[in-house]
Amino acid sequence: MQVLSVASEIYPLVKTGGLADVVGALPLALDRHGIRTKTLVPGYPAIMRGVENAVPRLTFADLMGHAATVLEVEYKGLALLILDCPALFDRPGGPYGDATGKDHIDNWRRFAALSRAGAEIALGRMEGWRPDIVHVHDWQTGLLPAYLRYSAEPVVPTLMTIHNIAFQGQFGADIFPELGLPPRAFAIDGVEYYGGVGYLKAGLQSATAVSTVSPTYADEILTPEFGMGLEGVLAARAADLHGIVNGIDADVWDPDSDPLIKTNYSAGNLKGRQTNKRAVAKRFGLSDDDGPLLCVVSRLTWQKGMDLLVDVTDDIVAQGGRLAVLGSGDAALEAAFHAAAVRHPGRVSIITGYDEPLSHLMQAGADAIVIPSRFEPCGLTQLYGLRYGCVPVVARTGGLNDTVIDASPAALAAKAATGICFSPTTADGLRRALRRTFRLFADTKAWMNMQKQGMKSDVSWEKSAGLYAQLYSSLEMKGR
Ligand code: ADP
């Protein structure tokens, strides 16, 4: 089976979050199921710089007003198709905004171009290759299923995956005439959304099936609290809505061989974690003691519940804990963590920024990773935590709920517990969860059992890749 995957980021070339990890890892896992994926991504500077000897495969004289070429190249086992369109993608900053984080004002055009190019490839315009299935990710690729649905040609089945419904790609109605869709597409069952054009909504309406990245999140987004306005659209598609948990790249994330950590270790011998713990404390300027060391590796945002964590820092310190935060995001939250660090020198510390190697060391050395998300489609950091014996303390939502087994008395007795889950997602809920964490930490044997149980959990792509393979097959049957 040949699959065209289309996305706005891909690990390790361009990453702002979990989406990139999935887009980079799933093709490799699917390969073992006989599924060959080519992934179309925008030709951002980081991607153009990162690859060598890419070959032109398809040219557009006018793609949303600009000349563009699709290049093909093999990169670390991934078959990449790169949309080289300097007018849209060769600019400084991140994938979506300038260096100050402000969204590019022509994002609607940039990602319409990506979708259009993907649709043309899906329709067989690239010589010698045609996909059986098209898999698109998030709002940036939402127009692709719409382009196919409104084309006059026989179409390829499409799967649209929602990685985070909070980002919807909502634009004014004035862009519609430029999208190259027929007038009838501007309708309630098409791309129209609250009077404007909704890219994610367009994809949800037009794709053959829709999936999201955990079973719990698939249920949650059918409710107004989590659906963020799209619950009605999703309810109409409930029969075609699937939830498949993300995996992690178990080779990149392996405490036994990870070159980014101080001392390698395995579930059979956790002693090496001590050296890593000391290294983490040193990097963060925290005092060196045997008490519990909590960590955070996250975007610092309301979604991630980081304001709740700020509220409980005094309590963490009062209980004898230390907190190391790695992340960036809302300026107010960064400032609040800095203030907590000033209040509690040696006990609370924040490093702002994005630091992949340090994130590995933290998972390998901290005792627990705190993830108090208000919503979490899947979440990856709890999976890294499980794999590294860094016990996840998580809000009971989305993929966190599907991947962590709470240390209830019954689960502890059965040696099945892998972390601490809490609800409601409030400062008090988190405070109680952390007190429970500290009590468990004091029981060395119970704690170690939990670490080992977590390290035994299957967080690889193996099972989920099998589920995607089944889903693709069912779509292919539907398409016939
Ligand atoms: P989201 O995609 O919502 O940000 P996920 O948990 O799904 O959350 O994925 C976040 C990914 O980004 C993980 O791989 C995590 O390790 C990584 N990450 C987040 N913040 C940082 C940071 N400051 N430094 C290094 N890695 C980070």
Side-chain angles (χ1 to χ4, degrees), residues 54 58 108 123 203 214 232 236 269 286 306 412 446:
L58 178 65
W108 66 271
L123 291 168
S214 70
N269 185 356
L286 294 172
M306 286 296 124
L412 282 171

Side-chain angles (χ1 to χ4, degrees), residues 15 17-18 21 297-299 304 326-327 353-355 379-381 384:
K15 165 170 162 175
D21 288 304
V297 179
S298 182
R299 291 186 285 122
K304 300 288 180 182
L326 169 64
Y354 193 92
D355 190 334
L380 291 173
T381 53
Y384 302 141

Side-chain angles (χ1 to χ4, degrees), residues 9 11 15-22 163-164 167 213 246 253 296-301 303-304 325-328 351-360 362-363 369 371 373 375-384 400:
E9 22 185 304
Y11 178 85
K15 165 170 162 175
T16 71
L19 164 68
D21 288 304
V22 176
H163 296 262
N164 191 336
F167 305 110
V213 288
N246 292 334
W253 291 91
V296 166
V297 179
S298 182
R299 291 186 285 122
L300 302 181
T301 63
Q303 179 206 330
K304 300 288 180 182
V325 178
L326 169 64
S328 59
I351 294 180
T352 47
Y354 193 92
D355 190 334
E356 188 95 21
L358 179 56
S359 75
H360 284 241
M362 291 168 78
Q363 297 278 12
I369 180 158
I371 314 173
S373 303
F375 65 95
E376 192 62 76
C378 180
L380 291 173
T381 53
Q382 84 279 14
L383 302 180
Y384 302 141
L400 300 172

